[in-house]
């Protein structure tokens, strides 16, 4: 009981400090009496400084300035009905509204709407204008000037000068708007429940998109602010029946995805693709048919880049279970589903100068000419499980699981393909409809020789069968043991250890890969995992927590590729009741992930051996205080730091030239400091006034694309004319102070 | 003699099993008194009891604590009434499972949390009037309940690249079912892919040219709880890509930081369609 009280106490402290972040599910209000209403409203006014520095501060939220509606709850009861309305951050970019209606023993309905912003960058710049849908237009004057300019010097100068004048910098952001609802109906038939749910999500805005253009001559890579216009819908119907120890049920789930973007340029309209102007050319050209006006660039005047195609999915799920009195349960689930995607094929190219000798016809299964994709995945899943504790000192579980991603899509032969819209590659390509089946089965048992000690042992096998990969079949055998000891009210300690060995039947390398190269997700692997969790209450007013976690992977068969990986973490936390209504909490934790990559470029020359050992270290620590002063004041404060550094050292053979690439990559670092404090004054029984302040500081180095500053000049051959968004995500430093009045009615 | 001993042992085991599986003995001869009687002493607990407000007449005090007449007649003797908070985890959970044993809770028996000796009261607080949550969790923010034990994941969610969990725009239960699931890591859906694609539906496919590690498991490249690297990647390109692609030609070189194969988006500068593509020219995932 004491431990439970302490845990609750810690959570209260955390809850109080985290109050300004809370906006999840509607907090309940006391039950209104029949025919009355109740609720609460929190209104605030605030000021914020420093938000303009970086989009990162409001990546997923809006921090309001001025008046704002923090939250609103309203509840009403009438006859057997109860109604609830909950709203948080109303009229802001991240608002959420949920309405619930329920009739006792019969029906519950929830409908809601929420928004989640995703602000990627506020520092981007681009010369591309959005011509509607996914059409990206480059200024004609600059294109024409680039056509006859000398590469490296002239074109780079043109683009750099123009980009500097491209104002204002476009925001890279989109927002996810979701409408959702669900219904649960306890039918008049005892034990029979019906459910229904739906959701629709719209995702509108822009995101950063790159397009590889022309190699060896002209622009290498173009980057633009691409349109995001996605619609996702999901609906389900289900029914469950339970009678005494038996339960059975099923559901149908359907979902669809629409990419609502259409691009049109120079009389060509395509769905689910971007049409992007070539910054160097106004008309098409190839090595065979160059444009005399732009002899140095042999590319298309427009590029085509595919976007996510529309797709659909349906599942039928069935489940049944049997309870063995109060000591066990057996259950089985079975589901079948299907994915479909049947969009028309995009054109190979929009470059009119590329005229194939014979028409480029896509052949289904290598025989039938088709103009649309016939993508279909048959999904099958089943699970069987029996678990229970038939004796006070013994419990067990046995399970089997199968998931089959059976790709029924035909193989498509593409007679040729276009390399960067310059010319036909001259070789056919064949699609590979990848599929897999994953099976696992195992059992575990737990013994309790006395109420304070439990010992567990278990094992399972996980098998994968794959098509179109280097490895057709892998088996992984995992063995685990665990123990838990509760030496009285002073606390409890849990230990667990597992060892797994994954082995493939055979590994088929490609001719270009050095012998002994293995991909880490298929390679033979030994995995050891160890964990300690301890909670100790040495004295009544102090609780300590400790966790240790270690995971180590070795790849015994891999000469090249990932040869080892290690993840070590530990945390220490405490909570102290200092008396007089004061509670102090604190925590410290570290996480370190490191792995080794052994590589060789050009297998014939040992001097070209190189390797790298990426190493990410994170420290996280915090301190919090909660105090009650008298009967009317409560105070809280919390400070936390998350400090991470990622290194990517590379090692070369002594005397080796490493291809002149001896410069180490810069470290990536990220440090987030947060501080929040609040003071709440209970003015009346139903009225609180809170004074809150939040401070955040985020410093970063080489995060995201900062690691290599967007380049607009000569780097190495072929990259001199790249056009980048210049999108960066710099650090920020903001302070948000507000006063919130909370009234209950 | 050895055979008799064996038969006796088996018989004892069967009898014990049968006794364990038998219906529980009849409750103490107490009767219901009604929540109004409870409220005369336990006003605070009953006044803010959302659980009762949601199920009036169905889940009142004695729905969980059992008939209270003996407790009342004994002047509030705590030993005369059942308190789920003081029971062993399995017994405490049984109180709740008497009503809540279907839908997302039906896989609780044998689940990871159940086998770790947790009960419903490890996360839910029916009476905690100071912390209000529609799911009756012990903290207003669901993640704070989970982070009470899953401290490593809490560290990860504070990293620079993260999903909007700490902004309270999503919850742990959007991906995990803490009450039990037939999939590893207590995922809501049947596989990692199905779980991620429920929100990231644009990645679903199928596509003309696939990137198989993407189709098989998003976690080959991403860490959903948080990462130091952009887009929740477990490592920064080109090193991430080189963990599989180390053959001859340009993938196998260590590269300089100003190389066009490294700066900005690195490999994805050109191989932009890293999740797969529908373009007829997509054999190298460039279009």
């Amino acid at each position: 009981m004491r431990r439970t009280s302490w845990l609750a106490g810690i959570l209260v402290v955390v809850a109080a400090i985290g109050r300004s972040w809370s906006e999840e599910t509607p907090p309940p209000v006391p039950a209104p009496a029949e025919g009355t209403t109740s609720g609460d409203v929190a209104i605030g006014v605030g000021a914020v400084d420093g938000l303009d520095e970086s989009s990162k501060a409001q990546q997923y939220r809006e921090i309001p300035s001025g008046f704002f509606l923090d939250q609103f709850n309203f509840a009403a009861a009438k006859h057997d009905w109860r109604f609830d309305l909950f709203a948080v951050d109303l009229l802001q970019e991240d608002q959420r509204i949920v309405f619930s209606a329920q009739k006792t023993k019969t029906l519950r309905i929830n409908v809601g709407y929420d928004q989640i912003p995703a602000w990627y960058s506020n520092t981007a710049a681009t010369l591309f204008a959005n011509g509607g849908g996914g059409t990206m237009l480059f200024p004609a004057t600059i294109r024409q000037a680039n056509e006859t300019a000398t590469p490296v010097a002239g074109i780079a100068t043109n683009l750099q000068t123009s980009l500097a004048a491209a104002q204002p910098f476009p925001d890279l952001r989109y927002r996810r708007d979701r409408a959702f609802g669900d219904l649960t109906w306890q039918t008049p038939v005892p034990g029979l429940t019906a459910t229904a749910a739906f959701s629709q999500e719209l995702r509108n805005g822009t995101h950063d998109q790159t397009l590889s253009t022309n190699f060896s001559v002209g622009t290498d890579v173009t980057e633009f602010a691409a349109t995001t216009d996605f619609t996702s819908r999901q609906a389900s119907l289900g029914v469950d029946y339970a009678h005494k120890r038996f339960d059975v049920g099923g559901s149908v789930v359907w979902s669809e995805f629409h990419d609502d973007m259409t691009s049109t340029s120079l009389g060509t309209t395509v769905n689910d693709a971007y049409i992007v102007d070539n910054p160097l050319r106004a008309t098409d050209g190839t090595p065979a048919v160059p444009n005399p006006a732009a002899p140095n660039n042999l590319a298309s005047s427009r590029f085509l880049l595919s976007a996510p195609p529309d797709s659909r999915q349906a599942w039928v799920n069935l489940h049944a279970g049997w309870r063995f009195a109060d000591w066990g349960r057996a259950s089985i689930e079975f589901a079948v589903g299907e994915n479909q995607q049947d969009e028309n094929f995009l054109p190979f190219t929009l470059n009119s100068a590329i005229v194939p000798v014979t028409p480029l016809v896509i052949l289904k299964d290598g025989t039938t000419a088709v103009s649309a994709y016939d993508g279909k995945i048959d999904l099958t899943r089943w699970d069987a499980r029996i678990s229970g504790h038939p004796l006070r000192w013994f419990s067990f579980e046995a399970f089997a699981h199968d998931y089959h991603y059976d790709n029924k899509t035909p193989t498509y032969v593409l007679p040729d393909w276009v390399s960067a819209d310059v010319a036909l590659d001259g070789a056919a390509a064949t699609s590979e409809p990848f599929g897999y089946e994953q099976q696992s089965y195992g059992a575990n048992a737990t013994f309790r020789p006395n109420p304070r000690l439990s010992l567990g042992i278990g094992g399972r096998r996980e098998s994968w069968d794959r098509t179109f990969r280097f490895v057709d079949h892998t088996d992984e055998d995992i063995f685990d043991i665990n123990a838990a000891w509760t030496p009285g009210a002073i606390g409890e300690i849990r230990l667990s250890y597992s060892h797994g060995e994954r082995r493939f039947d055979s590994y088929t390398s490609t001719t270009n890969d050095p012998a002994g190269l293995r991909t880490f997700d298929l390679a033979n692997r030994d995995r050891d995992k160890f964990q300690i969790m301890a909670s100790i209450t040495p004295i009544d007013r102090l609780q300590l927590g400790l966790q240790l976690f270690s995971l180590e992977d070795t790849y015994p068969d891999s000469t090249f590729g990932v040869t080892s990986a290690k993840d070590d973490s530990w945390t220490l936390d405490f909570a102290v009741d200092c008396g007089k209504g004061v509670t102090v909490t604190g925590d410290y934790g570290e996480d370190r992930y490191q792995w080794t990559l052994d590589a060789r470029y050009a297998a014939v020359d040992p001097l070209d051996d190189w390797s790298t050992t990426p190493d990410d270290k994170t420290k996280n620590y915090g301190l919090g205080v909660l105090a009650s002063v008298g009967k009317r004041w409560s105070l809280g404060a919390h400070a936390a730091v998350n400090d991470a550094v990622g290194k990517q050292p590379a090692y070369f053979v002594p005397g080796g030239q490493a291809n002149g690439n001896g410069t180490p990559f810069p470290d990536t670092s990220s440090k987030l400091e947060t501080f929040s404090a609040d003071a709440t004054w209970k003015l009346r029984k139903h009225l609180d006034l809170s004074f809150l302040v939040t401070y955040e500081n985020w410093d970063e180095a080489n995060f995201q694309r900062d690691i290599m500053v967007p380049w607009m000049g000569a780097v190495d051959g072929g990259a001199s004319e790249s056009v980048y968004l210049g999108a960066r995500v710099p650090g920020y430093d903001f302070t948000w102070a507000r006063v919130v009045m909370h009234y209950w009615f | 003699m050895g055979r008799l001993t064996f038969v006796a042992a088996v018989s004892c085991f069967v009898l014990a099993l049968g006794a364990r599986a038998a219906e529980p003995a009849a409750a103490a001869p107490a009767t219901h008194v009604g929540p109004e009687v409870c409220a005369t002493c336990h006003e605070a607990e009953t006044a803010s009891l959302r659980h009762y407000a949601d199920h009036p007449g169905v889940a009142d005090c004695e729905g969980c604590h059992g008939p209270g007449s003996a407790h009342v007649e004994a002047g509030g003797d705590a030993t005369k009434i059942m308190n789920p908070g003081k029971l062993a985890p399995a017994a405490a959970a049984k109180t709740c499972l008497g009503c809540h044993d279907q839908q997302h809770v039906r896989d609780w028996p044998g689940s990871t949390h159940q086998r770790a000796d947790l009960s419903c009261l490890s996360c839910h607080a029916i009476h905690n009037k100071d912390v209000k949550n529609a799911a009756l969790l012990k903290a207003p923010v669901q993640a704070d309940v989970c982070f009470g034990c899953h401290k490593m994941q809490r560290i990860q969610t504070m990293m620079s690249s993260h999903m909007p969990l700490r902004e309270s725009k999503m919850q742990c239960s959007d991906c995990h079912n803490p009450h039990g699931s037939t999939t590893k890591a207590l995922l809501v859906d049947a596989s990692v892919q199905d779980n991620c694609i429920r929100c990231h539906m644009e990645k679903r496919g199928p596509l003309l040219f696939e990137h198989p590690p993407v189709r098989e498991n998003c976690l080959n490249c991403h860490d959903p709880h948080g990462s130091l690297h952009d887009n929740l990647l477990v490592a920064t390109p080109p090193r991430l890509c080189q963990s599989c692609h180390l053959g001859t030609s340009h993938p196998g070189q260590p590269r300089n930081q100003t190389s066009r194969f490294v700066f900005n988006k690195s490999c994805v500068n050109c191989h932009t369609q890293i999740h797969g593509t529908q373009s007829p020219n997509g054999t190298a995932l460039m279009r």
Side-chain angles (χ1 to χ4, degrees), chain A residues 460-496:
Chain A
R460 69 181 187 273
R461 164 166 281 202
E462 294 185 4
S463 300
W464 286 79
D465 289 286
R466 304 170 173 95
T467 57
F468 298 106
R469 297 210 69 189
F470 299 146
V471 168
D472 290 335
H473 180 81
T474 57
D475 287 318
E476 182 170 15
D477 295 320
I478 303 165
F479 164 78
D480 61 83
I481 54 174
N482 58 81
W485 179 43
T486 308
I490 194 172
E492 62 177 349
I493 300 173
R494 298 175 184 270
L495 308 168
S496 66

Side-chain angles (χ1 to χ4, degrees), chain A residues 21 23 56 60 208 210 245 255 306 341 348 389-390 403 418 421 466 494 547 610 616 708 715 724, chain B residues 20 23 116 149 151 160 162 168-169 194 204 206 216 229 252 257-258 264-265 272-273 277 281 287:
Chain A
W21 293 83
E23 52 178 71
K56 189 71 169 173
Y60 295 126
D208 57 311
T210 55
R245 301 178 187 178
S255 66
S306 70
Q341 192 269 96
F348 277 82
H389 54 102
Y403 183 94
V418 178
D421 285 86
R466 304 170 173 95
R494 298 175 184 270
Q547 286 195 13
W610 66 277
D616 292 347
M708 313 296 168
V715 177
Y724 283 95
Chain B
R20 186 67 182 89
E23 293 297 328
C149 292
K151 302 182 194 299
S160 45
H162 62 278
S168 296
K169 299 299 182 287
D194 288 334
R204 179 161 66 193
E216 190 174 302
H229 309 285
Q257 60 175 307
T258 57
N264 199 43
K265 290 185 173 179
T272 59
Q273 310 291 60
T277 179
N281 305 304
R287 293 302 183 89

Side-chain angles (χ1 to χ4, degrees), chain A residues 242-303:
Chain A
H243 178 68
K244 294 185 179 178
R245 301 178 187 178
F246 173 71
D247 63 88
V248 67
S251 65
V252 176
V253 182
W254 165 86
S255 66
E256 66 174 11
F257 169 79
H258 284 289
D259 188 341
D260 298 312
M261 186 185 61
T262 298
S263 306
T264 301
S265 176
L266 301 179
T268 301
T269 298
V270 290
N271 294 323
D272 304 341
Y274 299 102
I275 296 178
V276 184
D277 275 351
N278 183 343
L280 301 183
R281 289 194 61 96
T283 55
D284 296 337
T286 68
V289 187
N291 181 347
N296 297 317
N297 182 276
L298 304 170
S300 164
S301 63
R302 298 163 299 154
F303 299 109

